Amino acid sequence: MKINKQSNLYTVIYIIVLVVVVGTALAFTSMSLRERQQANIDADKMRQILASVHIVPEKADILSDFDRYVTRQYLVDAAGNEAAGDAFAVNVAAQIKLPADRRELPVYECTLADGTVKYILPVYGAGLWGPIWGYVSLDADASTVYGAYFAHQGETPGLGAEIEKPAFQDQFRGKQLFKDGRFMPVAVVKAGQKPAGDEDYVDGISGGTITSKGVGAMLDDCLSPYQNFLNKLRNR
């Protein structure tokens, strides 16, 4: 049957065929690139983890440097015991929605070139315009912050986005999570002010109050469940 190319039926059939062909092509392309996309996501995550211990590898060296320096990856529970599972595969954004005693808590042990061991813990929270996240590394005493890396999805350039800059992140180095035997995550306060308690603190971002508060809340929410694990390390 010959269809009139000027008819509505022809137009409808043409559109349906076009949608099917284009949809199939896009689906095939997406499936073909999925493995590469995931590899890029994993490499960026590795880069961020290494950044928390002040290692900045070249793009081509990320995988090899991660394997070289991150000597152990494991999960712990709220009681501080090692648990079964793949630390790298844990979705921290999903875990923080759970009660603290039900979370899977990833730990990355990093052995630096000088032989010192650092413990890297992931954090995730909310900024002004979207999610913020990062990694905090601790010395072998499980209290002293060795380094911190923070990133964001859409904070305001020059304001909240400054959390990703060394000027903010470097303030955390040397801060303590335990004071007089008590666990107290580092506070983020307005420049020139001090927290109400005795916890260590850093200056927040000028003009980025909500994002700064988000970082402080993120550290409290995400690091507190590690308290028992860190105490076990401290008492070894």
Side-chain angles (χ1 to χ4, degrees), residues 3-201:
I3 301 177
N4 183 357
K5 292 184 179 182
Q6 305 301 319
S7 68
N8 291 335
L9 177 60
Y10 178 85
T11 302
V12 171
I13 294 175
Y14 179 83
I15 292 174
I16 292 174
V17 171
L18 183 63
V19 168
V20 170
V21 171
V22 172
T24 302
L26 290 174
F28 177 78
T29 301
S30 177
M31 292 177 62
S32 300
L33 296 176
R34 185 173 300 169
E35 185 173 339
R36 183 179 299 178
Q37 291 170 340
Q38 188 59 51
N40 289 336
I41 292 171
D42 290 348
D44 188 55
K45 182 175 179 178
M46 293 176 186
R47 178 190 63 79
Q48 295 180 28
I49 292 171
L50 292 175
S52 73
V53 287
H54 314 293
I55 296 174
V56 184
E58 296 293 333
K59 185 175 182 180
D61 298 329
I62 291 176
L63 297 181
S64 59
D65 281 356
F66 186 82
D67 289 341
R68 179 188 311 161
Y69 293 110
V70 179
T71 47
R72 286 194 69 204
Q73 303 177 48
Y74 51 91
L75 297 175
V76 297
D77 58 25
N81 302 313
E82 288 196 29
D86 182 355
F88 196 83
V90 169
N91 183 340
V92 179
Q95 291 298 311
I96 65 167
K97 298 177 182 178
L98 301 175
D101 60 355
R102 291 178 50 201
R103 295 181 194 174
E104 295 180 317
L105 306 171
V107 178
Y108 302 91
E109 281 190 24
C110 176
T111 304
L112 300 182
D114 61 3
T116 59
V117 175
K118 312 298 177 185
Y119 297 92
I120 304 172
L121 313 177
V123 293
Y124 191 97
L128 174 59
W129 301 113
I132 55 178
W133 64 90
Y135 297 89
V136 176
S137 63
L138 305 176
D139 284 337
D141 65 3
S143 176
T144 307
V145 176
Y146 178 71
Y149 172 87
F150 303 114
H152 65 92
Q153 180 172 295
E155 299 306 290
T156 307
L159 297 175
E162 294 298 299
I163 64 170
E164 67 181 359
K165 300 296 180 61
F168 177 72
Q169 298 173 5
D170 290 348
Q171 295 183 88
F172 288 84
R173 191 164 188 174
K175 302 300 182 182
Q176 300 292 321
L177 296 187
F178 287 87
K179 303 292 287 291
D180 298 324
R182 293 180 297 157
F183 181 76
M184 294 187 289
V186 180
V188 182
V189 300
K190 187 175 181 179
Q193 296 184 356
K194 295 183 178 180
D198 296 328
E199 65 267 35
D200 278 357
Y201 64 94

Side-chain angles (χ1 to χ4, degrees), residues 196-212:
D198 296 328
E199 65 267 35
D200 278 357
Y201 64 94
V202 301
D203 291 336
I205 302 297
S206 178
T209 303
I210 295 178
T211 307
S212 298

